[in-house]
Amino acid sequence: MIKKIIGTLLIIFCSYISLCAQGIIQTYQYPQNFFRYPLDLPPSTAGSFGELRGGHFHSGLDFKTNQQTGYPVHAAYDGYVSRLRIQFGGFGHAIYITHPNGYTTVYGHIKSFTPAMEKLIHDEQYKQQSFEVDFKLDPLQMLVCQGDVIAISGNEGASAGPHLHFEIRDTQTEETINPQLFGLTIPDKVPPTINLIGIYHLDGSPFSEKTPRQFFAVSGTNGNYHLTKPGVINLNGDIGFGITTTDMNSVSPNHNGIYSIELKLDGKTVYTFAVERFAFDQTHAINAYVDYPELLKTHRWVQKCFILPGSKISLYPQSINRGIINFNDDAIHDVEYVVKDIAGNTSTLTLKVKSSHTAANLTVVKQAGNIFHYDKRNEFSNDKIKVVVEPGNLYDDIDFTYSTLPKKPGAFSEVHRIHNRFTPVHLKFDLWIKPDSNLGKFADKAEIVSTDGACYSGTYQDGYIKAQPTLFGDFYIRIDTVPPVVAPINITNNANLSAAKKISFRIGDNLSGIKSYAGKIDGRWILMEWDYKTKILSYTFNNDIALGKHIFELTVTDNKNNSKYFTAAFNK
């Protein structure tokens, strides 16, 4: 036993030395050669850990499955199945395995489970009378050994194509950790690509869409990059830098995310970003990491190399003055970007900048209005609306603005412009809007909608409709009295379904969204599955349905409790 422990420690130590030799930035050491790859395929990924996604950092590795489903998925290490989940969207079908070494592995988008898991899920679905279930298992309820087949790979949920989403999480903190730091590496000899660099003239002001920016094209290859138009850049005052960069590995043409970015001033590191691990409640802080206004305007992912004060995500292991550099000495300086992937492949770019009071005249707009502070509770109100933003929902101070726009047909209020869409909100804020006419019996049908189509289910409070939007924008009150749409695909009254395998419908809702659906045959609840991609709701016949005549019923309800009822007799 002692020899085995010493051998394990030597493996961990040697792997750590290897990572150090590659110059990989990490704040923790992770066990090596414990976890196996979850697929018996040459490891290749369609998505890397921490890569940039809309509204979040990617939380795992997306292992390719040759653009098809049906591959055995193996337990990465000994442990027990601690959680099973079925959901509309997201992972679709997911397995969580807790291991004795303090980590939990997650397997998402799978097609099917082992028979024992299928039975547990089926029983839970009928117990809750719900297709969507998320439940935990006892530690001794379902043990697995490393290499056991636990599932078949699939394409369920909100996936863009067949693959296996794989995560390693810290069991106690539930932080997700880069799986490649555990030795589950992907062949990679390709250095990152640098496409563009940005300079932000902050001058002591909070970052916003009004911050003056300059972008510079970049040329180069094989890790060596330079400005397309070389020269010294004149700067003055507080400056932030940014970069557009992606990475590839040796076995996939996909453009993925980088592992780390270092920004150096005259050889001294002033800012470090590394996708080692993060907590899920901070993943929306990607909107603080990227130049969010630039993303909305141009769809360009510029990664800021300075930290907004309200961003708390644990992807910044080091910085000096949050990466903001003050240039005021009329000297020439070297600003160097060092970009690495997790294999240690490195790309660099060095700028010559001059601290000069004759720098380009880029006017910084100073705040002068209703200042909302990122670390305080902020309120704004008048006789028509009220806005409350709690601490932790802004990434920087903002100069809050408000205005009204003309009323839309069918609305029960003016359109209220709450600040602007270029300022991200971390989670949500509270918004009250007063209707401009008596809602009467429809008060419980009122909701707040935005002009970009989002709907936030509201509640009636003291003459106002209250909701919690997740974005700033333009909002107004609407009434939702229209039930969901239920369109049968293969069932009509007295239909002969003796050869049919399923009963199928297309369902949808025009405003508040579908809250629930419930199907019955002969008065008994049945399990119906709603597919995220096709939006088809279906029931698959089983041996419980005897030959003969039956009555099918379906009730679909939206978030404002408008319901649509369908019934039909059929023969089996």
Side-chain angles (χ1 to χ4, degrees), residues 171-202:
T171 300
Q172 284 194 331
T173 68
E174 295 190 10
E175 287 180 305
T176 185
I177 307 167
N178 197 321
Q180 293 201 63
L181 294 173
F182 293 83
L184 299 179
T185 56
I186 309 299
D188 187 356
K189 294 184 178 180
V190 183
T193 299
I194 300 175
N195 304 107
L196 171 146
I197 65 105
I199 294 177
Y200 298 84
H201 299 260
L202 299 167

PDB file of all heavy atoms in Angstrom, residues 171-202:
ATOM      1  N   THR A 171     -16.067  18.223  -5.908  1.00  0.00           N
ATOM      2  CA  THR A 171     -17.305  17.738  -5.291  1.00  0.00           C
ATOM      3  C   THR A 171     -17.825  18.685  -4.216  1.00  0.00           C
ATOM      4  O   THR A 171     -19.039  18.900  -4.099  1.00  0.00           O
ATOM      5  CB  THR A 171     -17.089  16.335  -4.692  1.00  0.00           C
ATOM      6  OG1 THR A 171     -16.687  15.444  -5.742  1.00  0.00           O
ATOM      7  CG2 THR A 171     -18.360  15.813  -4.048  1.00  0.00           C
ATOM      8  N   GLN A 172     -16.936  19.262  -3.432  1.00  0.00           N
ATOM      9  CA  GLN A 172     -17.379  20.126  -2.335  1.00  0.00           C
ATOM     10  C   GLN A 172     -17.850  21.492  -2.837  1.00  0.00           C
ATOM     11  O   GLN A 172     -18.913  21.968  -2.451  1.00  0.00           O
ATOM     12  CB  GLN A 172     -16.249  20.295  -1.324  1.00  0.00           C
ATOM     13  CG  GLN A 172     -16.046  19.083  -0.425  1.00  0.00           C
ATOM     14  CD  GLN A 172     -15.158  19.403   0.764  1.00  0.00           C
ATOM     15  OE1 GLN A 172     -14.293  20.269   0.695  1.00  0.00           O
ATOM     16  NE2 GLN A 172     -15.383  18.708   1.871  1.00  0.00           N
ATOM     17  N   THR A 173     -17.064  22.153  -3.668  1.00  0.00           N
ATOM     18  CA  THR A 173     -17.397  23.514  -4.099  1.00  0.00           C
ATOM     19  C   THR A 173     -18.268  23.538  -5.343  1.00  0.00           C
ATOM     20  O   THR A 173     -18.875  24.565  -5.646  1.00  0.00           O
ATOM     21  CB  THR A 173     -16.124  24.311  -4.393  1.00  0.00           C
ATOM     22  OG1 THR A 173     -15.478  23.765  -5.559  1.00  0.00           O
ATOM     23  CG2 THR A 173     -15.172  24.280  -3.218  1.00  0.00           C
ATOM     24  N   GLU A 174     -18.325  22.422  -6.082  1.00  0.00           N
ATOM     25  CA  GLU A 174     -19.025  22.298  -7.357  1.00  0.00           C
ATOM     26  C   GLU A 174     -18.431  23.180  -8.452  1.00  0.00           C
ATOM     27  O   GLU A 174     -19.045  23.388  -9.493  1.00  0.00           O
ATOM     28  CB  GLU A 174     -20.524  22.556  -7.214  1.00  0.00           C
ATOM     29  CG  GLU A 174     -21.225  21.524  -6.350  1.00  0.00           C
ATOM     30  CD  GLU A 174     -22.734  21.628  -6.408  1.00  0.00           C
ATOM     31  OE1 GLU A 174     -23.251  22.374  -7.247  1.00  0.00           O
ATOM     32  OE2 GLU A 174     -23.388  20.932  -5.602  1.00  0.00           O
ATOM     33  N   GLU A 175     -17.217  23.713  -8.203  1.00  0.00           N
ATOM     34  CA  GLU A 175     -16.520  24.410  -9.279  1.00  0.00           C
ATOM     35  C   GLU A 175     -16.165  23.407 -10.378  1.00  0.00           C
ATOM     36  O   GLU A 175     -15.794  22.266 -10.097  1.00  0.00           O
ATOM     37  CB  GLU A 175     -15.249  25.065  -8.760  1.00  0.00           C
ATOM     38  CG  GLU A 175     -15.472  26.283  -7.899  1.00  0.00           C
ATOM     39  CD  GLU A 175     -14.150  26.862  -7.431  1.00  0.00           C
ATOM     40  OE1 GLU A 175     -13.357  26.120  -6.822  1.00  0.00           O
ATOM     41  OE2 GLU A 175     -13.910  28.058  -7.673  1.00  0.00           O
ATOM     42  N   THR A 176     -16.263  23.837 -11.627  1.00  0.00           N
ATOM     43  CA  THR A 176     -15.855  22.983 -12.738  1.00  0.00           C
ATOM     44  C   THR A 176     -14.397  23.286 -13.074  1.00  0.00           C
ATOM     45  O   THR A 176     -13.964  24.440 -13.018  1.00  0.00           O
ATOM     46  CB  THR A 176     -16.774  23.186 -13.951  1.00  0.00           C
ATOM     47  OG1 THR A 176     -16.416  22.255 -14.982  1.00  0.00           O
ATOM     48  CG2 THR A 176     -16.709  24.599 -14.498  1.00  0.00           C
ATOM     49  N   ILE A 177     -13.641  22.237 -13.395  1.00  0.00           N
ATOM     50  CA  ILE A 177     -12.190  22.325 -13.538  1.00  0.00           C
ATOM     51  C   ILE A 177     -11.793  21.819 -14.919  1.00  0.00           C
ATOM     52  O   ILE A 177     -12.402  20.875 -15.448  1.00  0.00           O
ATOM     53  CB  ILE A 177     -11.473  21.490 -12.454  1.00  0.00           C
ATOM     54  CG1 ILE A 177     -11.988  21.878 -11.056  1.00  0.00           C
ATOM     55  CG2 ILE A 177      -9.963  21.671 -12.526  1.00  0.00           C
ATOM     56  CD1 ILE A 177     -11.581  20.909  -9.965  1.00  0.00           C
ATOM     57  N   ASN A 178     -10.777  22.415 -15.479  1.00  0.00           N
ATOM     58  CA  ASN A 178     -10.304  22.022 -16.809  1.00  0.00           C
ATOM     59  C   ASN A 178      -9.846  20.558 -16.787  1.00  0.00           C
ATOM     60  O   ASN A 178      -8.874  20.221 -16.126  1.00  0.00           O
ATOM     61  CB  ASN A 178      -9.147  22.924 -17.221  1.00  0.00           C
ATOM     62  CG  ASN A 178      -8.875  22.865 -18.709  1.00  0.00           C
ATOM     63  OD1 ASN A 178      -8.944  21.802 -19.325  1.00  0.00           O
ATOM     64  ND2 ASN A 178      -8.555  24.009 -19.289  1.00  0.00           N
ATOM     65  N   PRO A 179     -10.532  19.657 -17.516  1.00  0.00           N
ATOM     66  CA  PRO A 179     -10.166  18.239 -17.472  1.00  0.00           C
ATOM     67  C   PRO A 179      -8.749  17.947 -17.953  1.00  0.00           C
ATOM     68  O   PRO A 179      -8.148  16.953 -17.536  1.00  0.00           O
ATOM     69  CB  PRO A 179     -11.206  17.579 -18.392  1.00  0.00           C
ATOM     70  CG  PRO A 179     -12.376  18.501 -18.364  1.00  0.00           C
ATOM     71  CD  PRO A 179     -11.762  19.878 -18.302  1.00  0.00           C
ATOM     72  N   GLN A 180      -8.203  18.807 -18.819  1.00  0.00           N
ATOM     73  CA  GLN A 180      -6.860  18.527 -19.320  1.00  0.00           C
ATOM     74  C   GLN A 180      -5.800  18.688 -18.232  1.00  0.00           C
ATOM     75  O   GLN A 180      -4.686  18.156 -18.354  1.00  0.00           O
ATOM     76  CB  GLN A 180      -6.541  19.410 -20.528  1.00  0.00           C
ATOM     77  CG  GLN A 180      -7.408  19.081 -21.737  1.00  0.00           C
ATOM     78  CD  GLN A 180      -6.799  19.556 -23.031  1.00  0.00           C
ATOM     79  OE1 GLN A 180      -5.734  19.108 -23.429  1.00  0.00           O
ATOM     80  NE2 GLN A 180      -7.488  20.471 -23.704  1.00  0.00           N
ATOM     81  N   LEU A 181      -6.134  19.394 -17.159  1.00  0.00           N
ATOM     82  CA  LEU A 181      -5.196  19.511 -16.045  1.00  0.00           C
ATOM     83  C   LEU A 181      -5.069  18.210 -15.259  1.00  0.00           C
ATOM     84  O   LEU A 181      -4.185  18.069 -14.415  1.00  0.00           O
ATOM     85  CB  LEU A 181      -5.626  20.648 -15.113  1.00  0.00           C
ATOM     86  CG  LEU A 181      -5.558  22.057 -15.711  1.00  0.00           C
ATOM     87  CD1 LEU A 181      -6.174  23.076 -14.759  1.00  0.00           C
ATOM     88  CD2 LEU A 181      -4.122  22.435 -16.046  1.00  0.00           C
ATOM     89  N   PHE A 182      -5.961  17.246 -15.528  1.00  0.00           N
ATOM     90  CA  PHE A 182      -5.899  15.929 -14.893  1.00  0.00           C
ATOM     91  C   PHE A 182      -5.190  14.908 -15.787  1.00  0.00           C
ATOM     92  O   PHE A 182      -5.177  13.727 -15.466  1.00  0.00           O
ATOM     93  CB  PHE A 182      -7.309  15.430 -14.585  1.00  0.00           C
ATOM     94  CG  PHE A 182      -8.023  16.226 -13.524  1.00  0.00           C
ATOM     95  CD1 PHE A 182      -8.683  17.405 -13.836  1.00  0.00           C
ATOM     96  CD2 PHE A 182      -8.054  15.785 -12.203  1.00  0.00           C
ATOM     97  CE1 PHE A 182      -9.346  18.138 -12.862  1.00  0.00           C
ATOM     98  CE2 PHE A 182      -8.722  16.510 -11.230  1.00  0.00           C
ATOM     99  CZ  PHE A 182      -9.363  17.689 -11.559  1.00  0.00           C
ATOM    100  N   GLY A 183      -4.637  15.358 -16.899  1.00  0.00           N
ATOM    101  CA  GLY A 183      -3.944  14.450 -17.797  1.00  0.00           C
ATOM    102  C   GLY A 183      -4.764  13.956 -18.960  1.00  0.00           C
ATOM    103  O   GLY A 183      -4.255  13.178 -19.783  1.00  0.00           O
ATOM    104  N   LEU A 184      -6.032  14.365 -19.055  1.00  0.00           N
ATOM    105  CA  LEU A 184      -6.872  13.970 -20.199  1.00  0.00           C
ATOM    106  C   LEU A 184      -6.610  14.942 -21.349  1.00  0.00           C
ATOM    107  O   LEU A 184      -7.460  15.746 -21.722  1.00  0.00           O
ATOM    108  CB  LEU A 184      -8.342  13.968 -19.792  1.00  0.00           C
ATOM    109  CG  LEU A 184      -8.710  12.990 -18.670  1.00  0.00           C
ATOM    110  CD1 LEU A 184     -10.199  13.095 -18.340  1.00  0.00           C
ATOM    111  CD2 LEU A 184      -8.363  11.563 -19.062  1.00  0.00           C
ATOM    112  N   THR A 185      -5.423  14.853 -21.905  1.00  0.00           N
ATOM    113  CA  THR A 185      -4.965  15.833 -22.881  1.00  0.00           C
ATOM    114  C   THR A 185      -5.425  15.481 -24.290  1.00  0.00           C
ATOM    115  O   THR A 185      -5.766  14.332 -24.597  1.00  0.00           O
ATOM    116  CB  THR A 185      -3.441  15.945 -22.850  1.00  0.00           C
ATOM    117  OG1 THR A 185      -2.875  14.644 -23.078  1.00  0.00           O
ATOM    118  CG2 THR A 185      -2.965  16.447 -21.494  1.00  0.00           C
ATOM    119  N   ILE A 186      -5.396  16.495 -25.139  1.00  0.00           N
ATOM    120  CA  ILE A 186      -5.712  16.356 -26.551  1.00  0.00           C
ATOM    121  C   ILE A 186      -4.428  16.636 -27.336  1.00  0.00           C
ATOM    122  O   ILE A 186      -3.740  17.620 -27.038  1.00  0.00           O
ATOM    123  CB  ILE A 186      -6.816  17.357 -26.968  1.00  0.00           C
ATOM    124  CG1 ILE A 186      -8.025  17.264 -26.018  1.00  0.00           C
ATOM    125  CG2 ILE A 186      -7.249  17.107 -28.407  1.00  0.00           C
ATOM    126  CD1 ILE A 186      -8.710  15.925 -25.974  1.00  0.00           C
ATOM    127  N   PRO A 187      -4.059  15.793 -28.314  1.00  0.00           N
ATOM    128  CA  PRO A 187      -2.844  16.065 -29.087  1.00  0.00           C
ATOM    129  C   PRO A 187      -2.853  17.479 -29.653  1.00  0.00           C
ATOM    130  O   PRO A 187      -3.803  17.890 -30.321  1.00  0.00           O
ATOM    131  CB  PRO A 187      -2.899  15.012 -30.203  1.00  0.00           C
ATOM    132  CG  PRO A 187      -3.704  13.889 -29.623  1.00  0.00           C
ATOM    133  CD  PRO A 187      -4.734  14.550 -28.753  1.00  0.00           C
ATOM    134  N   ASP A 188      -1.794  18.237 -29.365  1.00  0.00           N
ATOM    135  CA  ASP A 188      -1.804  19.655 -29.723  1.00  0.00           C
ATOM    136  C   ASP A 188      -0.381  20.177 -29.862  1.00  0.00           C
ATOM    137  O   ASP A 188       0.360  20.254 -28.883  1.00  0.00           O
ATOM    138  CB  ASP A 188      -2.558  20.451 -28.646  1.00  0.00           C
ATOM    139  CG  ASP A 188      -2.762  21.910 -29.019  1.00  0.00           C
ATOM    140  OD1 ASP A 188      -2.260  22.328 -30.077  1.00  0.00           O
ATOM    141  OD2 ASP A 188      -3.434  22.617 -28.253  1.00  0.00           O
ATOM    142  N   LYS A 189      -0.031  20.522 -31.086  1.00  0.00           N
ATOM    143  CA  LYS A 189       1.244  21.181 -31.343  1.00  0.00           C
ATOM    144  C   LYS A 189       1.035  22.504 -32.084  1.00  0.00           C
ATOM    145  O   LYS A 189       1.962  23.045 -32.680  1.00  0.00           O
ATOM    146  CB  LYS A 189       2.153  20.261 -32.155  1.00  0.00           C
ATOM    147  CG  LYS A 189       2.578  19.000 -31.406  1.00  0.00           C
ATOM    148  CD  LYS A 189       3.553  18.168 -32.210  1.00  0.00           C
ATOM    149  CE  LYS A 189       4.000  16.941 -31.424  1.00  0.00           C
ATOM    150  NZ  LYS A 189       4.964  16.100 -32.192  1.00  0.00           N
ATOM    151  N   VAL A 190      -0.189  23.008 -32.019  1.00  0.00           N
ATOM    152  CA  VAL A 190      -0.549  24.213 -32.766  1.00  0.00           C
ATOM    153  C   VAL A 190      -0.637  25.396 -31.809  1.00  0.00           C
ATOM    154  O   VAL A 190      -1.458  25.375 -30.881  1.00  0.00           O
ATOM    155  CB  VAL A 190      -1.897  24.034 -33.497  1.00  0.00           C
ATOM    156  CG1 VAL A 190      -2.222  25.272 -34.325  1.00  0.00           C
ATOM    157  CG2 VAL A 190      -1.878  22.777 -34.361  1.00  0.00           C
ATOM    158  N   PRO A 191       0.151  26.443 -31.986  1.00  0.00           N
ATOM    159  CA  PRO A 191       0.050  27.611 -31.104  1.00  0.00           C
ATOM    160  C   PRO A 191      -1.209  28.424 -31.404  1.00  0.00           C
ATOM    161  O   PRO A 191      -1.767  28.345 -32.505  1.00  0.00           O
ATOM    162  CB  PRO A 191       1.313  28.406 -31.421  1.00  0.00           C
ATOM    163  CG  PRO A 191       1.657  28.026 -32.816  1.00  0.00           C
ATOM    164  CD  PRO A 191       1.242  26.590 -32.972  1.00  0.00           C
ATOM    165  N   PRO A 192      -1.666  29.207 -30.451  1.00  0.00           N
ATOM    166  CA  PRO A 192      -2.849  30.048 -30.669  1.00  0.00           C
ATOM    167  C   PRO A 192      -2.640  31.052 -31.803  1.00  0.00           C
ATOM    168  O   PRO A 192      -1.506  31.396 -32.157  1.00  0.00           O
ATOM    169  CB  PRO A 192      -3.033  30.758 -29.327  1.00  0.00           C
ATOM    170  CG  PRO A 192      -2.348  29.881 -28.335  1.00  0.00           C
ATOM    171  CD  PRO A 192      -1.177  29.284 -29.061  1.00  0.00           C
ATOM    172  N   THR A 193      -3.759  31.512 -32.338  1.00  0.00           N
ATOM    173  CA  THR A 193      -3.764  32.543 -33.374  1.00  0.00           C
ATOM    174  C   THR A 193      -4.179  33.876 -32.752  1.00  0.00           C
ATOM    175  O   THR A 193      -5.140  33.927 -31.982  1.00  0.00           O
ATOM    176  CB  THR A 193      -4.742  32.181 -34.504  1.00  0.00           C
ATOM    177  OG1 THR A 193      -4.324  30.944 -35.099  1.00  0.00           O
ATOM    178  CG2 THR A 193      -4.769  33.263 -35.575  1.00  0.00           C
ATOM    179  N   ILE A 194      -3.430  34.919 -33.074  1.00  0.00           N
ATOM    180  CA  ILE A 194      -3.789  36.276 -32.631  1.00  0.00           C
ATOM    181  C   ILE A 194      -4.293  37.049 -33.850  1.00  0.00           C
ATOM    182  O   ILE A 194      -3.607  37.129 -34.865  1.00  0.00           O
ATOM    183  CB  ILE A 194      -2.583  36.996 -31.994  1.00  0.00           C
ATOM    184  CG1 ILE A 194      -2.097  36.209 -30.768  1.00  0.00           C
ATOM    185  CG2 ILE A 194      -2.960  38.418 -31.586  1.00  0.00           C
ATOM    186  CD1 ILE A 194      -0.841  36.784 -30.134  1.00  0.00           C
ATOM    187  N   ASN A 195      -5.499  37.596 -33.742  1.00  0.00           N
ATOM    188  CA  ASN A 195      -6.135  38.242 -34.881  1.00  0.00           C
ATOM    189  C   ASN A 195      -6.167  39.760 -34.799  1.00  0.00           C
ATOM    190  O   ASN A 195      -6.187  40.442 -35.832  1.00  0.00           O
ATOM    191  CB  ASN A 195      -7.578  37.739 -35.032  1.00  0.00           C
ATOM    192  CG  ASN A 195      -7.651  36.231 -35.149  1.00  0.00           C
ATOM    193  OD1 ASN A 195      -8.067  35.558 -34.214  1.00  0.00           O
ATOM    194  ND2 ASN A 195      -7.234  35.695 -36.280  1.00  0.00           N
ATOM    195  N   LEU A 196      -6.175  40.289 -33.574  1.00  0.00           N
ATOM    196  CA  LEU A 196      -6.406  41.721 -33.414  1.00  0.00           C
ATOM    197  C   LEU A 196      -6.032  42.103 -31.992  1.00  0.00           C
ATOM    198  O   LEU A 196      -6.130  41.285 -31.076  1.00  0.00           O
ATOM    199  CB  LEU A 196      -7.875  42.044 -33.707  1.00  0.00           C
ATOM    200  CG  LEU A 196      -8.453  43.425 -33.435  1.00  0.00           C
ATOM    201  CD1 LEU A 196      -9.500  43.754 -34.489  1.00  0.00           C
ATOM    202  CD2 LEU A 196      -9.100  43.478 -32.046  1.00  0.00           C
ATOM    203  N   ILE A 197      -5.605  43.352 -31.796  1.00  0.00           N
ATOM    204  CA  ILE A 197      -5.426  43.858 -30.441  1.00  0.00           C
ATOM    205  C   ILE A 197      -6.209  45.169 -30.302  1.00  0.00           C
ATOM    206  O   ILE A 197      -6.458  45.871 -31.287  1.00  0.00           O
ATOM    207  CB  ILE A 197      -3.938  44.044 -30.061  1.00  0.00           C
ATOM    208  CG1 ILE A 197      -3.277  45.117 -30.915  1.00  0.00           C
ATOM    209  CG2 ILE A 197      -3.192  42.730 -30.157  1.00  0.00           C
ATOM    210  CD1 ILE A 197      -3.059  46.393 -30.177  1.00  0.00           C
ATOM    211  N   GLY A 198      -6.588  45.474 -29.056  1.00  0.00           N
ATOM    212  CA  GLY A 198      -7.368  46.676 -28.785  1.00  0.00           C
ATOM    213  C   GLY A 198      -6.736  47.501 -27.682  1.00  0.00           C
ATOM    214  O   GLY A 198      -6.044  46.980 -26.802  1.00  0.00           O
ATOM    215  N   ILE A 199      -6.968  48.791 -27.756  1.00  0.00           N
ATOM    216  CA  ILE A 199      -6.498  49.717 -26.725  1.00  0.00           C
ATOM    217  C   ILE A 199      -7.687  50.545 -26.259  1.00  0.00           C
ATOM    218  O   ILE A 199      -8.441  51.097 -27.076  1.00  0.00           O
ATOM    219  CB  ILE A 199      -5.376  50.623 -27.264  1.00  0.00           C
ATOM    220  CG1 ILE A 199      -4.134  49.778 -27.588  1.00  0.00           C
ATOM    221  CG2 ILE A 199      -5.026  51.718 -26.263  1.00  0.00           C
ATOM    222  CD1 ILE A 199      -2.986  50.571 -28.188  1.00  0.00           C
ATOM    223  N   TYR A 200      -7.865  50.624 -24.944  1.00  0.00           N
ATOM    224  CA  TYR A 200      -9.005  51.308 -24.339  1.00  0.00           C
ATOM    225  C   TYR A 200      -8.498  52.488 -23.513  1.00  0.00           C
ATOM    226  O   TYR A 200      -7.685  52.315 -22.602  1.00  0.00           O
ATOM    227  CB  TYR A 200      -9.793  50.335 -23.455  1.00  0.00           C
ATOM    228  CG  TYR A 200     -10.372  49.180 -24.225  1.00  0.00           C
ATOM    229  CD1 TYR A 200      -9.600  48.052 -24.505  1.00  0.00           C
ATOM    230  CD2 TYR A 200     -11.672  49.228 -24.700  1.00  0.00           C
ATOM    231  CE1 TYR A 200     -10.126  46.992 -25.231  1.00  0.00           C
ATOM    232  CE2 TYR A 200     -12.211  48.171 -25.421  1.00  0.00           C
ATOM    233  CZ  TYR A 200     -11.428  47.063 -25.686  1.00  0.00           C
ATOM    234  OH  TYR A 200     -11.954  46.013 -26.419  1.00  0.00           O
ATOM    235  N   HIS A 201      -8.984  53.676 -23.829  1.00  0.00           N
ATOM    236  CA  HIS A 201      -8.585  54.903 -23.149  1.00  0.00           C
ATOM    237  C   HIS A 201      -9.575  55.159 -22.010  1.00  0.00           C
ATOM    238  O   HIS A 201     -10.646  55.732 -22.210  1.00  0.00           O
ATOM    239  CB  HIS A 201      -8.557  56.065 -24.152  1.00  0.00           C
ATOM    240  CG  HIS A 201      -7.577  55.841 -25.264  1.00  0.00           C
ATOM    241  ND1 HIS A 201      -6.319  56.412 -25.292  1.00  0.00           N
ATOM    242  CD2 HIS A 201      -7.663  55.085 -26.391  1.00  0.00           C
ATOM    243  CE1 HIS A 201      -5.677  56.024 -26.384  1.00  0.00           C
ATOM    244  NE2 HIS A 201      -6.476  55.219 -27.072  1.00  0.00           N
ATOM    245  N   LEU A 202      -9.213  54.710 -20.824  1.00  0.00           N
ATOM    246  CA  LEU A 202     -10.123  54.738 -19.684  1.00  0.00           C
ATOM    247  C   LEU A 202     -10.089  56.062 -18.928  1.00  0.00           C
ATOM    248  O   LEU A 202     -11.131  56.534 -18.453  1.00  0.00           O
ATOM    249  CB  LEU A 202      -9.782  53.585 -18.731  1.00  0.00           C
ATOM    250  CG  LEU A 202      -9.919  52.183 -19.351  1.00  0.00           C
ATOM    251  CD1 LEU A 202      -9.275  51.140 -18.453  1.00  0.00           C
ATOM    252  CD2 LEU A 202     -11.375  51.853 -19.603  1.00  0.00           C
TER     253      LEU A 202
END
